[in-house]
Amino acid sequence: MNRSLAFAIFAGLLLWICTIILSGAGWNPFHVNWNFSNPGAFGDSFGPISASMAALAAVAAIAAFREQKNEILRLQERERHDDKRRDAENAAQENLRRLDARDRREEREESTFFQLLSTFQNITRDTDIVSSSKTNTGRDAFRSMVLSFQSYLSICENVSEAWANTARKHENDLNHYFRLLYHIILFIDKSNLSDKRLYVRIVRALLSESELTLLALNCAYGEGREKFADLVRKYALLHSLSSAMRKKWGLEEVLTNHAFEVIGQ
């Protein structure tokens, strides 16, 4: 039985008993003749009490309805809270899964990057230029290529022609070198690595002055103009090239300052 209804019944009975007792003392609020020898009159005494109990029962029913309604609202609020908590927990777990997947992907990409870098260093070390007097290997070979370009420059009409002759003479070494260097920078650009410029700086730190000069000439006057030059500008790959070398052969004018100046670092 509902607690409010039980209380109403108890209150009604208590009121009836108190009324009978008080009427014996001369106080008769309902103006009923309490004659217990007359069953009919005594039965009539329940009329006001029944009305009072009905009113109390109605009040109790309303109170019970409100209590039930409030309980339903509390349950609904609790369910909404539980749903929000579950959604928050699911979102947190999903974020952790995404972060974990991103970390694993970045680890794989970082491993690939250093493998490419190792291959690039091997190619640089194994590059050789054989002349009648001696064989230049590694960075000395790239220095020899720059001297070769300068020699062509003295007999050609313009820088573009001099570079075309140099690239043709050393195509076996330069094509492979520039192709791998391009794909390393492109790999960084397309990757999910968190700090792409950091990895570009690692590559840039490995390039000698002669390598940077050849790269600048290739992007300004050679095949690098089509695709590689855009990446060189985007990541300022020629940032370490000396100021004196930048001003030679119109490199700054052709490639613009973006290829030399690091933006946002």
Side-chain angles (χ1 to χ4, degrees):
M1 182 181 294
N2 186 274
R3 189 175 297 177
S4 299
L5 182 58
F7 176 77
I9 295 173
F10 173 75
L13 290 173
L14 183 62
L15 176 62
W16 178 61
I17 294 171
C18 291
T19 301
I20 295 175
I21 295 172
L22 291 174
S23 64
W27 184 66
N28 190 357
F30 298 108
H31 306 289
V32 176
N33 183 17
W34 302 91
N35 187 357
F36 295 99
S37 62
N38 186 352
F42 182 72
D44 292 339
S45 66
F46 286 91
I49 302 302
S50 298
S52 300
M53 292 181 64
L56 290 171
V59 171
I62 294 173
F65 172 75
R66 289 181 177 177
E67 183 178 349
Q68 186 176 14
K69 181 180 178 182
N70 291 335
E71 182 64 23
I72 291 173
L73 292 175
R74 284 194 295 271
L75 289 174
Q76 291 175 343
E77 181 62 26
R78 186 179 304 164
E79 288 178 357
R80 283 194 295 269
H81 177 74
D82 291 342
D83 289 341
K84 289 181 180 179
R85 179 177 53 79
R86 282 192 295 269
D87 291 342
E89 290 176 352
N90 292 336
Q93 291 175 358
E94 182 62 26
N95 286 334
L96 288 175
R97 283 193 293 269
R98 283 200 298 267
L99 288 172
D100 186 53
R102 187 192 66 184
D103 290 343
R104 288 198 302 271
R105 183 171 61 248
E106 188 164 340
E107 286 178 1
R108 290 194 299 270
E109 289 177 336
E110 190 176 69
S111 175
T112 301
F113 165 76
F114 283 109
Q115 289 174 10
L116 289 170
L117 202 62
S118 177
T119 302
F120 177 73
Q121 289 178 289
N122 291 335
I123 289 175
T124 302
R125 185 183 61 248
D126 295 340
T127 300
D128 57 5
I129 302 296
V130 180
S131 64
S132 57
S133 58
K134 64 175 182 177
T135 299
N136 295 311
T137 59
R139 291 199 168 123
D140 289 336
F142 290 95
R143 189 179 300 110
S144 177
M145 292 182 206
V146 173
L147 294 175
S148 177
F149 165 74
Q150 291 175 329
S151 297
Y152 279 116
L153 193 60
S154 63
I155 60 176
C156 293
E157 294 183 357
N158 52 55
V159 177
S160 181
E161 183 182 350
W163 174 251
N165 289 332
T166 304
R168 191 179 306 112
K169 179 181 178 180
H170 302 290
E171 61 181 351
N172 289 335
D173 293 311
L174 288 178
N175 286 351
H176 189 32
Y177 174 87
F178 285 137
R179 186 163 52 247
L180 181 56
L181 181 57
Y182 166 75
H183 282 290
I184 291 175
I185 303 302
L186 182 65
F187 171 79
I188 296 172
D189 185 60
K190 299 296 184 183
S191 73
N192 294 286
L193 294 169
S194 56
D195 189 353
K196 296 180 181 181
R197 293 188 180 277
L198 170 64
Y199 294 92
V200 172
R201 289 198 298 270
I202 293 174
V203 176
R204 193 171 63 205
L206 297 176
L207 304 179
S208 66
E209 179 80 357
S210 297
E211 291 173 84
L212 290 170
T213 300
L214 294 171
L215 175 60
L217 289 167
N218 184 55
C219 290
Y221 303 107
E223 294 181 356
R225 288 175 296 181
E226 296 181 7
K227 296 180 181 179
F228 205 173
D230 291 335
L231 290 173
V232 167
R233 293 186 186 96
K234 182 175 181 179
Y235 293 103
L237 198 56
L238 300 174
H239 175 68
S240 300
L241 187 63
S242 66
S243 177
M245 197 61 71
R246 295 179 192 183
K247 291 178 170 44
K248 285 186 176 181
W249 313 308
L251 293 177
E252 281 189 331
E253 290 77 9
V254 176
L255 295 175
T256 72
N257 288 333
H258 293 294
F260 305 94
E261 301 299 330
V262 181
I263 307 300
Q265 290 190 20

